Amino acid sequence: MSDGLRSIGVPAFDHNERPIAAVSSTWRRHHHRYEADHVRDILQQGAVRLTAAVADHAPHAHGTDGAQDGAQ
């Protein structure tokens, strides 16, 4: 932890529910336009969208080999 800074991070997951990335933010403690809970909620929404995008591109979404229909 650094003096005067706040940080929040939330995980994003792959199609097997394993953490694969994090969405985070760091800001100066005295510059608090938003409360930490609000920032966390926004980051969580981004992590949910990232998780959904990864799941949409998982191999099981297009077949066993990961190729899209018609792709060779």
Side-chain angles (χ1 to χ4, degrees):
M1 178 194 261
S2 297
D3 286 338
L5 297 177
R6 290 190 84 166
S7 295
I8 296 177
V10 295
F13 300 92
D14 68 8
H15 62 282
N16 291 316
E17 298 182 10
R18 293 180 298 207
I20 57 161
V23 181
S24 65
S25 181
T26 299
W27 67 96
R28 293 191 184 280
R29 196 177 283 268
H30 70 275
H31 182 72
H32 56 282
R33 182 175 174 183
Y34 299 104
E35 294 295 323
D37 289 344
H38 183 72
V39 173
R40 184 205 60 229
D41 291 346
I42 292 169
L43 294 174
Q44 185 66 46
Q45 291 171 15
V48 166
R49 290 177 64 191
L50 178 57
T51 295
V54 168
D56 286 346
H57 290 90
H60 74 278
H62 299 294
T64 58
D65 65 355
Q68 294 182 2
D69 291 338
Q72 294 185 347

Short mmCIF file of all heavy atoms in Angstrom, two decimals:
data_model
loop_
_atom_site.label_atom_id
_atom_site.label_comp_id
_atom_site.label_asym_id
_atom_site.label_seq_id
_atom_site.Cartn_x
_atom_site.Cartn_y
_atom_site.Cartn_z
N MET A 1 0.85 -1.17 0.00
CA MET A 1 0.00 0.00 0.00
C MET A 1 0.90 1.24 0.00
O MET A 1 1.90 1.29 0.68
CB MET A 1 -0.90 -0.01 1.23
CG MET A 1 -1.78 1.22 1.30
SD MET A 1 -2.55 1.42 2.89
CE MET A 1 -4.13 0.76 2.54
N SER A 2 0.52 2.23 -0.78
CA SER A 2 1.25 3.48 -0.84
C SER A 2 0.44 4.57 -0.15
O SER A 2 -0.78 4.64 -0.31
CB SER A 2 1.50 3.89 -2.29
OG SER A 2 2.32 2.95 -2.94
N ASP A 3 1.13 5.41 0.59
CA ASP A 3 0.45 6.51 1.27
C ASP A 3 -0.27 7.40 0.27
O ASP A 3 0.28 7.75 -0.77
CB ASP A 3 1.44 7.36 2.07
CG ASP A 3 1.91 6.67 3.33
OD1 ASP A 3 1.21 5.76 3.80
OD2 ASP A 3 2.98 7.05 3.84
N GLY A 4 -1.51 7.72 0.58
CA GLY A 4 -2.27 8.63 -0.25
C GLY A 4 -2.95 8.01 -1.45
O GLY A 4 -3.60 8.71 -2.21
N LEU A 5 -2.81 6.70 -1.64
CA LEU A 5 -3.44 6.03 -2.79
C LEU A 5 -4.42 4.96 -2.32
O LEU A 5 -4.24 4.35 -1.28
CB LEU A 5 -2.38 5.39 -3.68
CG LEU A 5 -1.38 6.32 -4.34
CD1 LEU A 5 -0.35 5.51 -5.12
CD2 LEU A 5 -2.07 7.33 -5.23
N ARG A 6 -5.43 4.75 -3.14
CA ARG A 6 -6.38 3.65 -2.93
C ARG A 6 -6.39 2.82 -4.21
O ARG A 6 -6.27 3.35 -5.30
CB ARG A 6 -7.79 4.17 -2.69
CG ARG A 6 -7.95 4.85 -1.36
CD ARG A 6 -9.39 5.10 -1.09
NE ARG A 6 -9.95 3.88 -0.52
CZ ARG A 6 -11.12 3.82 0.08
NH1 ARG A 6 -11.87 4.89 0.15
NH2 ARG A 6 -11.55 2.70 0.59
N SER A 7 -6.58 1.53 -4.05
CA SER A 7 -6.66 0.62 -5.20
C SER A 7 -7.75 -0.40 -4.96
O SER A 7 -7.98 -0.83 -3.83
CB SER A 7 -5.34 -0.13 -5.41
OG SER A 7 -4.32 0.75 -5.76
N ILE A 8 -8.39 -0.78 -6.05
CA ILE A 8 -9.39 -1.85 -6.02
C ILE A 8 -9.18 -2.67 -7.28
O ILE A 8 -8.95 -2.13 -8.35
CB ILE A 8 -10.83 -1.30 -6.01
CG1 ILE A 8 -11.10 -0.50 -4.73
CG2 ILE A 8 -11.84 -2.43 -6.14
CD1 ILE A 8 -12.48 0.14 -4.71
N GLY A 9 -9.28 -3.99 -7.15
CA GLY A 9 -9.20 -4.87 -8.29
C GLY A 9 -10.22 -5.98 -8.16
O GLY A 9 -10.54 -6.40 -7.05
N VAL A 10 -10.75 -6.43 -9.30
CA VAL A 10 -11.69 -7.55 -9.31
C VAL A 10 -11.28 -8.51 -10.42
O VAL A 10 -10.75 -8.10 -11.45
CB VAL A 10 -13.15 -7.07 -9.51
CG1 VAL A 10 -13.61 -6.24 -8.33
CG2 VAL A 10 -13.31 -6.29 -10.78
N PRO A 11 -11.51 -9.81 -10.22
CA PRO A 11 -11.07 -10.80 -11.21
C PRO A 11 -12.06 -10.99 -12.35
O PRO A 11 -13.26 -10.78 -12.21
CB PRO A 11 -10.96 -12.07 -10.38
CG PRO A 11 -12.01 -11.91 -9.32
CD PRO A 11 -12.02 -10.44 -9.00
N ALA A 12 -11.54 -11.44 -13.48
CA ALA A 12 -12.32 -11.95 -14.60
C ALA A 12 -11.93 -13.42 -14.74
O ALA A 12 -10.82 -13.82 -14.39
CB ALA A 12 -12.02 -11.18 -15.88
N PHE A 13 -12.86 -14.23 -15.26
CA PHE A 13 -12.66 -15.68 -15.27
C PHE A 13 -12.78 -16.24 -16.68
O PHE A 13 -13.41 -15.65 -17.55
CB PHE A 13 -13.70 -16.34 -14.38
CG PHE A 13 -13.63 -15.89 -12.95
CD1 PHE A 13 -14.39 -14.81 -12.51
CD2 PHE A 13 -12.78 -16.50 -12.05
CE1 PHE A 13 -14.32 -14.38 -11.20
CE2 PHE A 13 -12.70 -16.07 -10.73
CZ PHE A 13 -13.47 -15.01 -10.31
N ASP A 14 -12.19 -17.44 -16.89
CA ASP A 14 -12.36 -18.13 -18.15
C ASP A 14 -13.60 -19.02 -18.07
O ASP A 14 -14.31 -19.01 -17.06
CB ASP A 14 -11.10 -18.93 -18.54
CG ASP A 14 -10.81 -20.12 -17.64
OD1 ASP A 14 -11.65 -20.48 -16.77
OD2 ASP A 14 -9.74 -20.72 -17.81
N HIS A 15 -13.84 -19.80 -19.12
CA HIS A 15 -15.03 -20.65 -19.17
C HIS A 15 -15.02 -21.78 -18.15
O HIS A 15 -16.04 -22.41 -17.91
CB HIS A 15 -15.23 -21.20 -20.59
CG HIS A 15 -14.11 -22.07 -21.04
ND1 HIS A 15 -12.91 -21.54 -21.49
CD2 HIS A 15 -14.01 -23.41 -21.12
CE1 HIS A 15 -12.11 -22.54 -21.82
NE2 HIS A 15 -12.75 -23.67 -21.61
N ASN A 16 -13.86 -22.04 -17.54
CA ASN A 16 -13.75 -23.04 -16.47
C ASN A 16 -13.77 -22.41 -15.08
O ASN A 16 -13.43 -23.07 -14.10
CB ASN A 16 -12.47 -23.87 -16.65
CG ASN A 16 -12.54 -24.75 -17.86
OD1 ASN A 16 -13.55 -25.40 -18.11
ND2 ASN A 16 -11.47 -24.77 -18.64
N GLU A 17 -14.13 -21.13 -15.03
CA GLU A 17 -14.21 -20.36 -13.79
C GLU A 17 -12.86 -20.20 -13.09
O GLU A 17 -12.79 -20.04 -11.88
CB GLU A 17 -15.25 -20.97 -12.85
CG GLU A 17 -16.65 -20.97 -13.43
CD GLU A 17 -17.70 -21.53 -12.49
OE1 GLU A 17 -17.40 -21.76 -11.30
OE2 GLU A 17 -18.82 -21.75 -12.95
N ARG A 18 -11.79 -20.21 -13.90
CA ARG A 18 -10.45 -19.93 -13.37
C ARG A 18 -10.15 -18.46 -13.60
O ARG A 18 -10.44 -17.92 -14.68
CB ARG A 18 -9.40 -20.78 -14.08
CG ARG A 18 -9.52 -22.26 -13.78
CD ARG A 18 -8.46 -23.02 -14.52
NE ARG A 18 -8.67 -22.82 -15.96
CZ ARG A 18 -8.32 -23.66 -16.90
NH1 ARG A 18 -7.70 -24.77 -16.58
NH2 ARG A 18 -8.55 -23.40 -18.17
N PRO A 19 -9.55 -17.78 -12.62
CA PRO A 19 -9.20 -16.36 -12.83
C PRO A 19 -8.13 -16.23 -13.91
O PRO A 19 -7.16 -16.99 -13.92
CB PRO A 19 -8.68 -15.91 -11.46
CG PRO A 19 -8.36 -17.15 -10.71
CD PRO A 19 -9.18 -18.26 -11.30
N ILE A 20 -8.36 -15.32 -14.86
CA ILE A 20 -7.42 -15.14 -15.97
C ILE A 20 -6.95 -13.70 -16.11
O ILE A 20 -5.99 -13.44 -16.82
CB ILE A 20 -8.03 -15.59 -17.30
CG1 ILE A 20 -9.33 -14.84 -17.59
CG2 ILE A 20 -8.25 -17.10 -17.31
CD1 ILE A 20 -9.75 -14.88 -19.02
N ALA A 21 -7.63 -12.78 -15.46
CA ALA A 21 -7.28 -11.36 -15.58
C ALA A 21 -7.89 -10.61 -14.42
O ALA A 21 -8.69 -11.16 -13.66
CB ALA A 21 -7.81 -10.79 -16.91
N ALA A 22 -7.49 -9.35 -14.30
CA ALA A 22 -8.08 -8.48 -13.28
C ALA A 22 -8.34 -7.11 -13.90
O ALA A 22 -7.62 -6.68 -14.81
CB ALA A 22 -7.15 -8.34 -12.08
N VAL A 23 -9.38 -6.48 -13.43
CA VAL A 23 -9.70 -5.11 -13.80
C VAL A 23 -9.49 -4.30 -12.53
O VAL A 23 -10.02 -4.65 -11.47
CB VAL A 23 -11.16 -4.99 -14.30
CG1 VAL A 23 -11.48 -3.58 -14.70
CG2 VAL A 23 -11.41 -5.95 -15.45
N SER A 24 -8.68 -3.24 -12.61
CA SER A 24 -8.36 -2.51 -11.39
C SER A 24 -8.26 -1.01 -11.63
O SER A 24 -8.20 -0.54 -12.77
CB SER A 24 -7.03 -3.01 -10.81
OG SER A 24 -5.97 -2.72 -11.69
N SER A 25 -8.25 -0.29 -10.53
CA SER A 25 -8.10 1.16 -10.58
C SER A 25 -7.35 1.61 -9.33
O SER A 25 -7.52 1.05 -8.25
CB SER A 25 -9.47 1.84 -10.63
OG SER A 25 -9.33 3.23 -10.70
N THR A 26 -6.53 2.63 -9.51
CA THR A 26 -5.81 3.26 -8.39
C THR A 26 -6.03 4.76 -8.50
O THR A 26 -5.98 5.31 -9.59
CB THR A 26 -4.30 2.93 -8.46
OG1 THR A 26 -4.14 1.51 -8.37
CG2 THR A 26 -3.54 3.61 -7.34
N TRP A 27 -6.28 5.40 -7.38
CA TRP A 27 -6.50 6.84 -7.37
C TRP A 27 -5.99 7.45 -6.08
O TRP A 27 -5.77 6.76 -5.10
CB TRP A 27 -7.99 7.17 -7.60
CG TRP A 27 -8.91 6.75 -6.50
CD1 TRP A 27 -9.38 7.53 -5.47
CD2 TRP A 27 -9.49 5.46 -6.29
NE1 TRP A 27 -10.20 6.81 -4.65
CE2 TRP A 27 -10.29 5.53 -5.14
CE3 TRP A 27 -9.40 4.25 -6.97
CZ2 TRP A 27 -10.99 4.44 -4.65
CZ3 TRP A 27 -10.11 3.17 -6.47
CH2 TRP A 27 -10.89 3.27 -5.34
N ARG A 28 -5.79 8.76 -6.12
CA ARG A 28 -5.34 9.47 -4.93
C ARG A 28 -6.48 9.54 -3.92
O ARG A 28 -7.60 9.85 -4.26
CB ARG A 28 -4.88 10.88 -5.27
CG ARG A 28 -3.63 10.89 -6.12
CD ARG A 28 -3.07 12.31 -6.21
NE ARG A 28 -1.94 12.34 -7.10
CZ ARG A 28 -0.71 11.97 -6.76
NH1 ARG A 28 -0.47 11.55 -5.54
NH2 ARG A 28 0.27 12.02 -7.63
N ARG A 29 -6.14 9.23 -2.70
CA ARG A 29 -7.13 9.17 -1.63
C ARG A 29 -7.88 10.50 -1.46
O ARG A 29 -9.08 10.52 -1.24
CB ARG A 29 -6.45 8.79 -0.33
CG ARG A 29 -7.37 8.32 0.75
CD ARG A 29 -6.59 7.89 1.97
NE ARG A 29 -5.98 6.59 1.79
CZ ARG A 29 -6.54 5.44 2.14
NH1 ARG A 29 -7.72 5.43 2.68
NH2 ARG A 29 -5.92 4.31 1.94
N HIS A 30 -7.18 11.62 -1.60
CA HIS A 30 -7.83 12.92 -1.39
C HIS A 30 -8.67 13.35 -2.59
O HIS A 30 -9.46 14.27 -2.50
CB HIS A 30 -6.80 14.00 -1.04
CG HIS A 30 -5.92 14.38 -2.19
ND1 HIS A 30 -4.78 13.68 -2.49
CD2 HIS A 30 -6.02 15.37 -3.10
CE1 HIS A 30 -4.20 14.23 -3.54
NE2 HIS A 30 -4.93 15.25 -3.93
N HIS A 31 -8.52 12.67 -3.71
CA HIS A 31 -9.31 12.99 -4.90
C HIS A 31 -10.36 11.89 -5.06
O HIS A 31 -10.23 10.98 -5.86
CB HIS A 31 -8.41 13.05 -6.14
CG HIS A 31 -9.15 13.40 -7.39
ND1 HIS A 31 -9.63 14.65 -7.63
CD2 HIS A 31 -9.51 12.65 -8.45
CE1 HIS A 31 -10.25 14.67 -8.80
NE2 HIS A 31 -10.19 13.45 -9.32
N HIS A 32 -11.39 11.97 -4.27
CA HIS A 32 -12.38 10.89 -4.23
C HIS A 32 -13.72 11.37 -4.77
O HIS A 32 -14.66 11.64 -4.04
CB HIS A 32 -12.52 10.32 -2.83
CG HIS A 32 -12.87 11.33 -1.78
ND1 HIS A 32 -11.94 12.18 -1.24
CD2 HIS A 32 -14.06 11.63 -1.21
CE1 HIS A 32 -12.54 12.96 -0.36
NE2 HIS A 32 -13.82 12.66 -0.32
N ARG A 33 -13.79 11.48 -6.07
CA ARG A 33 -15.04 11.86 -6.73
C ARG A 33 -16.11 10.79 -6.49
O ARG A 33 -17.28 11.09 -6.37
CB ARG A 33 -14.80 12.06 -8.22
CG ARG A 33 -16.00 12.49 -8.98
CD ARG A 33 -15.64 12.79 -10.40
NE ARG A 33 -16.85 13.08 -11.16
CZ ARG A 33 -16.86 13.31 -12.45
NH1 ARG A 33 -15.73 13.29 -13.13
NH2 ARG A 33 -17.98 13.56 -13.06
N TYR A 34 -15.70 9.53 -6.42
CA TYR A 34 -16.61 8.42 -6.19
C TYR A 34 -16.16 7.66 -4.95
O TYR A 34 -14.98 7.56 -4.65
CB TYR A 34 -16.63 7.47 -7.38
CG TYR A 34 -17.10 8.11 -8.66
CD1 TYR A 34 -16.20 8.44 -9.65
CD2 TYR A 34 -18.45 8.37 -8.86
CE1 TYR A 34 -16.64 9.03 -10.83
CE2 TYR A 34 -18.88 8.96 -10.03
CZ TYR A 34 -17.98 9.29 -11.01
OH TYR A 34 -18.42 9.88 -12.16
N GLU A 35 -17.12 7.07 -4.28
CA GLU A 35 -16.82 6.21 -3.15
C GLU A 35 -16.22 4.90 -3.65
O GLU A 35 -16.50 4.47 -4.78
CB GLU A 35 -18.09 5.92 -2.34
CG GLU A 35 -18.66 7.14 -1.66
CD GLU A 35 -17.74 7.71 -0.60
OE1 GLU A 35 -17.07 6.91 0.11
OE2 GLU A 35 -17.67 8.94 -0.49
N ALA A 36 -15.43 4.25 -2.82
CA ALA A 36 -14.77 3.01 -3.20
C ALA A 36 -15.77 1.94 -3.62
O ALA A 36 -15.53 1.19 -4.58
CB ALA A 36 -13.89 2.50 -2.06
N ASP A 37 -16.91 1.87 -2.95
CA ASP A 37 -17.92 0.87 -3.33
C ASP A 37 -18.45 1.11 -4.75
O ASP A 37 -18.71 0.16 -5.49
CB ASP A 37 -19.09 0.88 -2.34
CG ASP A 37 -18.72 0.32 -0.99
OD1 ASP A 37 -17.68 -0.36 -0.88
OD2 ASP A 37 -19.49 0.55 -0.04
N HIS A 38 -18.59 2.36 -5.12
CA HIS A 38 -19.06 2.69 -6.47
C HIS A 38 -18.02 2.29 -7.51
O HIS A 38 -18.36 1.71 -8.55
CB HIS A 38 -19.38 4.18 -6.55
CG HIS A 38 -19.94 4.60 -7.87
ND1 HIS A 38 -21.22 4.28 -8.27
CD2 HIS A 38 -19.39 5.32 -8.88
CE1 HIS A 38 -21.43 4.78 -9.47
NE2 HIS A 38 -20.34 5.41 -9.86
N VAL A 39 -16.77 2.58 -7.24
CA VAL A 39 -15.68 2.20 -8.15
C VAL A 39 -15.64 0.68 -8.28
O VAL A 39 -15.54 0.14 -9.39
CB VAL A 39 -14.32 2.75 -7.67
CG1 VAL A 39 -13.18 2.22 -8.52
CG2 VAL A 39 -14.34 4.27 -7.66
N ARG A 40 -15.75 -0.02 -7.17
CA ARG A 40 -15.76 -1.49 -7.20
C ARG A 40 -16.89 -2.01 -8.06
O ARG A 40 -16.71 -2.93 -8.86
CB ARG A 40 -15.88 -2.05 -5.78
CG ARG A 40 -15.81 -3.59 -5.76
CD ARG A 40 -16.49 -4.22 -4.57
NE ARG A 40 -17.91 -3.85 -4.58
CZ ARG A 40 -18.56 -3.36 -3.52
NH1 ARG A 40 -17.95 -3.17 -2.38
NH2 ARG A 40 -19.83 -3.04 -3.61
N ASP A 41 -18.08 -1.43 -7.93
CA ASP A 41 -19.23 -1.88 -8.72
C ASP A 41 -18.98 -1.69 -10.22
O ASP A 41 -19.31 -2.55 -11.03
CB ASP A 41 -20.50 -1.13 -8.30
CG ASP A 41 -20.97 -1.51 -6.91
OD1 ASP A 41 -20.49 -2.53 -6.35
OD2 ASP A 41 -21.81 -0.76 -6.36
N ILE A 42 -18.40 -0.56 -10.60
CA ILE A 42 -18.09 -0.30 -12.00
C ILE A 42 -17.05 -1.31 -12.52
O ILE A 42 -17.19 -1.86 -13.61
CB ILE A 42 -17.59 1.15 -12.19
CG1 ILE A 42 -18.75 2.13 -11.94
CG2 ILE A 42 -16.99 1.35 -13.58
CD1 ILE A 42 -18.31 3.57 -11.85
N LEU A 43 -16.02 -1.55 -11.72
CA LEU A 43 -15.00 -2.52 -12.12
C LEU A 43 -15.59 -3.92 -12.24
O LEU A 43 -15.26 -4.68 -13.16
CB LEU A 43 -13.84 -2.52 -11.12
CG LEU A 43 -13.02 -1.24 -11.06
CD1 LEU A 43 -12.00 -1.33 -9.94
CD2 LEU A 43 -12.33 -0.97 -12.39
N GLN A 44 -16.49 -4.26 -11.32
CA GLN A 44 -17.12 -5.58 -11.35
C GLN A 44 -17.93 -5.75 -12.63
O GLN A 44 -17.91 -6.81 -13.25
CB GLN A 44 -18.02 -5.77 -10.12
CG GLN A 44 -18.61 -7.16 -10.02
CD GLN A 44 -17.55 -8.21 -9.77
OE1 GLN A 44 -16.69 -8.03 -8.91
NE2 GLN A 44 -17.61 -9.31 -10.49
N GLN A 45 -18.63 -4.70 -13.05
CA GLN A 45 -19.39 -4.77 -14.31
C GLN A 45 -18.44 -5.03 -15.48
O GLN A 45 -18.77 -5.82 -16.38
CB GLN A 45 -20.16 -3.47 -14.52
CG GLN A 45 -21.29 -3.26 -13.55
CD GLN A 45 -21.89 -1.88 -13.66
OE1 GLN A 45 -21.68 -1.15 -14.62
NE2 GLN A 45 -22.66 -1.49 -12.65
N GLY A 46 -17.29 -4.38 -15.48
CA GLY A 46 -16.31 -4.61 -16.55
C GLY A 46 -15.77 -6.02 -16.52
O GLY A 46 -15.60 -6.66 -17.58
N ALA A 47 -15.52 -6.55 -15.33
CA ALA A 47 -15.01 -7.91 -15.21
C ALA A 47 -16.04 -8.92 -15.67
O ALA A 47 -15.70 -9.93 -16.31
CB ALA A 47 -14.59 -8.19 -13.76
N VAL A 48 -17.31 -8.67 -15.39
CA VAL A 48 -18.38 -9.56 -15.85
C VAL A 48 -18.44 -9.55 -17.38
O VAL A 48 -18.57 -10.60 -18.02
CB VAL A 48 -19.74 -9.15 -15.23
CG1 VAL A 48 -20.91 -9.82 -15.94
CG2 VAL A 48 -19.75 -9.47 -13.75
N ARG A 49 -18.31 -8.38 -17.99
CA ARG A 49 -18.32 -8.29 -19.45
C ARG A 49 -17.12 -9.02 -20.05
O ARG A 49 -17.23 -9.70 -21.08
CB ARG A 49 -18.34 -6.83 -19.89
CG ARG A 49 -19.67 -6.16 -19.59
CD ARG A 49 -19.67 -4.72 -19.95
NE ARG A 49 -19.50 -4.56 -21.38
CZ ARG A 49 -19.25 -3.41 -21.98
NH1 ARG A 49 -19.14 -2.31 -21.26
NH2 ARG A 49 -19.10 -3.34 -23.28
N LEU A 50 -15.94 -8.86 -19.44
CA LEU A 50 -14.75 -9.55 -19.92
C LEU A 50 -14.92 -11.06 -19.79
O LEU A 50 -14.60 -11.82 -20.72
CB LEU A 50 -13.51 -9.07 -19.15
CG LEU A 50 -12.19 -9.73 -19.51
CD1 LEU A 50 -11.88 -9.58 -20.99
CD2 LEU A 50 -11.07 -9.13 -18.66
N THR A 51 -15.43 -11.52 -18.67
CA THR A 51 -15.68 -12.95 -18.46
C THR A 51 -16.62 -13.49 -19.53
O THR A 51 -16.38 -14.55 -20.10
CB THR A 51 -16.25 -13.19 -17.05
OG1 THR A 51 -15.26 -12.81 -16.07
CG2 THR A 51 -16.65 -14.64 -16.84
N ALA A 52 -17.68 -12.75 -19.82
CA ALA A 52 -18.64 -13.19 -20.85
C ALA A 52 -17.98 -13.23 -22.23
O ALA A 52 -18.22 -14.17 -23.00
CB ALA A 52 -19.85 -12.25 -20.87
N ALA A 53 -17.15 -12.25 -22.54
CA ALA A 53 -16.47 -12.23 -23.85
C ALA A 53 -15.52 -13.42 -23.98
O ALA A 53 -15.44 -14.04 -25.04
CB ALA A 53 -15.72 -10.92 -24.02
N VAL A 54 -14.82 -13.75 -22.92
CA VAL A 54 -13.90 -14.89 -22.95
C VAL A 54 -14.71 -16.18 -23.13
O VAL A 54 -14.34 -17.05 -23.92
CB VAL A 54 -13.04 -14.94 -21.67
CG1 VAL A 54 -12.30 -16.26 -21.55
CG2 VAL A 54 -12.07 -13.77 -21.65
N ALA A 55 -15.80 -16.31 -22.41
CA ALA A 55 -16.63 -17.51 -22.52
C ALA A 55 -17.20 -17.66 -23.93
O ALA A 55 -17.29 -18.77 -24.44
CB ALA A 55 -17.77 -17.47 -21.50
N ASP A 56 -17.55 -16.54 -24.56
CA ASP A 56 -18.08 -16.59 -25.92
C ASP A 56 -17.05 -17.08 -26.92
O ASP A 56 -17.41 -17.57 -27.99
CB ASP A 56 -18.57 -15.21 -26.37
CG ASP A 56 -19.87 -14.81 -25.70
OD1 ASP A 56 -20.54 -15.68 -25.10
OD2 ASP A 56 -20.22 -13.61 -25.79
N HIS A 57 -15.77 -16.95 -26.60
CA HIS A 57 -14.70 -17.36 -27.51
C HIS A 57 -14.00 -18.64 -27.06
O HIS A 57 -12.96 -18.99 -27.60
CB HIS A 57 -13.69 -16.22 -27.68
CG HIS A 57 -14.27 -15.09 -28.45
ND1 HIS A 57 -14.92 -14.05 -27.85
CD2 HIS A 57 -14.32 -14.85 -29.78
CE1 HIS A 57 -15.35 -13.21 -28.77
NE2 HIS A 57 -15.01 -13.67 -29.95
N ALA A 58 -14.56 -19.31 -26.09
CA ALA A 58 -13.98 -20.56 -25.60
C ALA A 58 -14.15 -21.65 -26.65
O ALA A 58 -15.11 -21.64 -27.42
CB ALA A 58 -14.66 -20.98 -24.30
N PRO A 59 -13.23 -22.61 -26.71
CA PRO A 59 -13.31 -23.69 -27.70
C PRO A 59 -14.66 -24.40 -27.71
O PRO A 59 -15.18 -24.71 -28.76
CB PRO A 59 -12.20 -24.65 -27.29
CG PRO A 59 -11.20 -23.79 -26.60
CD PRO A 59 -12.02 -22.72 -25.90
N HIS A 60 -15.27 -24.62 -26.55
CA HIS A 60 -16.55 -25.34 -26.53
C HIS A 60 -17.68 -24.54 -27.17
O HIS A 60 -18.69 -25.09 -27.55
CB HIS A 60 -16.93 -25.72 -25.09
CG HIS A 60 -17.40 -24.57 -24.26
ND1 HIS A 60 -16.53 -23.72 -23.63
CD2 HIS A 60 -18.65 -24.14 -23.97
CE1 HIS A 60 -17.23 -22.79 -22.98
NE2 HIS A 60 -18.52 -23.02 -23.17
N ALA A 61 -17.49 -23.24 -27.34
CA ALA A 61 -18.53 -22.40 -27.94
C ALA A 61 -18.59 -22.60 -29.47
O ALA A 61 -19.59 -22.29 -30.08
CB ALA A 61 -18.29 -20.94 -27.62
N HIS A 62 -17.52 -23.13 -30.07
CA HIS A 62 -17.45 -23.26 -31.52
C HIS A 62 -17.16 -24.68 -31.97
O HIS A 62 -16.95 -24.93 -33.14
CB HIS A 62 -16.37 -22.33 -32.08
CG HIS A 62 -16.62 -20.91 -31.80
ND1 HIS A 62 -17.68 -20.19 -32.32
CD2 HIS A 62 -15.97 -20.05 -30.99
CE1 HIS A 62 -17.65 -18.96 -31.86
NE2 HIS A 62 -16.63 -18.84 -31.06
N GLY A 63 -17.09 -25.60 -31.07
CA GLY A 63 -16.75 -26.98 -31.43
C GLY A 63 -15.54 -27.43 -30.65
O GLY A 63 -14.93 -26.66 -29.92
N THR A 64 -15.13 -28.65 -30.83
CA THR A 64 -14.05 -29.20 -30.02
C THR A 64 -12.69 -28.65 -30.36
O THR A 64 -11.79 -28.64 -29.53
CB THR A 64 -14.01 -30.74 -30.14
OG1 THR A 64 -13.85 -31.08 -31.52
CG2 THR A 64 -15.28 -31.36 -29.59
N ASP A 65 -12.48 -28.17 -31.58
CA ASP A 65 -11.15 -27.69 -31.95
C ASP A 65 -11.02 -26.17 -31.85
O ASP A 65 -9.96 -25.62 -32.13
CB ASP A 65 -10.77 -28.15 -33.35
CG ASP A 65 -11.68 -27.55 -34.42
OD1 ASP A 65 -12.65 -26.85 -34.08
OD2 ASP A 65 -11.42 -27.81 -35.62
N GLY A 66 -12.10 -25.47 -31.48
CA GLY A 66 -12.03 -24.04 -31.33
C GLY A 66 -12.28 -23.26 -32.62
O GLY A 66 -12.36 -22.06 -32.63
N ALA A 67 -12.42 -23.97 -33.76
CA ALA A 67 -12.67 -23.30 -35.04
C ALA A 67 -14.13 -22.91 -35.15
O ALA A 67 -15.01 -23.65 -34.71
CB ALA A 67 -12.29 -24.21 -36.19
N GLN A 68 -14.38 -21.77 -35.75
CA GLN A 68 -15.75 -21.35 -35.98
C GLN A 68 -16.33 -22.11 -37.16
O GLN A 68 -15.59 -22.63 -38.00
CB GLN A 68 -15.80 -19.85 -36.25
CG GLN A 68 -15.39 -19.03 -35.06
CD GLN A 68 -15.49 -17.55 -35.35
OE1 GLN A 68 -15.90 -17.13 -36.42
NE2 GLN A 68 -15.10 -16.74 -34.39
N ASP A 69 -17.65 -22.19 -37.23
CA ASP A 69 -18.30 -22.89 -38.34
C ASP A 69 -17.80 -22.34 -39.66
O ASP A 69 -17.75 -21.13 -39.87
CB ASP A 69 -19.82 -22.72 -38.26
CG ASP A 69 -20.42 -23.46 -37.08
OD1 ASP A 69 -19.76 -24.40 -36.59
OD2 ASP A 69 -21.52 -23.09 -36.64
N GLY A 70 -17.42 -23.24 -40.57
CA GLY A 70 -16.95 -22.85 -41.89
C GLY A 70 -15.49 -22.46 -41.95
O GLY A 70 -14.93 -22.29 -43.00
N ALA A 71 -14.83 -22.29 -40.81
CA ALA A 71 -13.41 -21.92 -40.79
C ALA A 71 -12.57 -23.18 -40.91
O ALA A 71 -12.93 -24.23 -40.43
CB ALA A 71 -13.06 -21.18 -39.51
N GLN A 72 -11.43 -23.06 -41.59
CA GLN A 72 -10.53 -24.21 -41.71
C GLN A 72 -9.15 -23.84 -41.35
O GLN A 72 -8.70 -22.79 -41.42
CB GLN A 72 -10.57 -24.76 -43.12
CG GLN A 72 -11.93 -25.33 -43.44
CD GLN A 72 -11.91 -26.00 -44.81
OE1 GLN A 72 -10.99 -25.84 -45.60
NE2 GLN A 72 -12.92 -26.78 -45.07
#
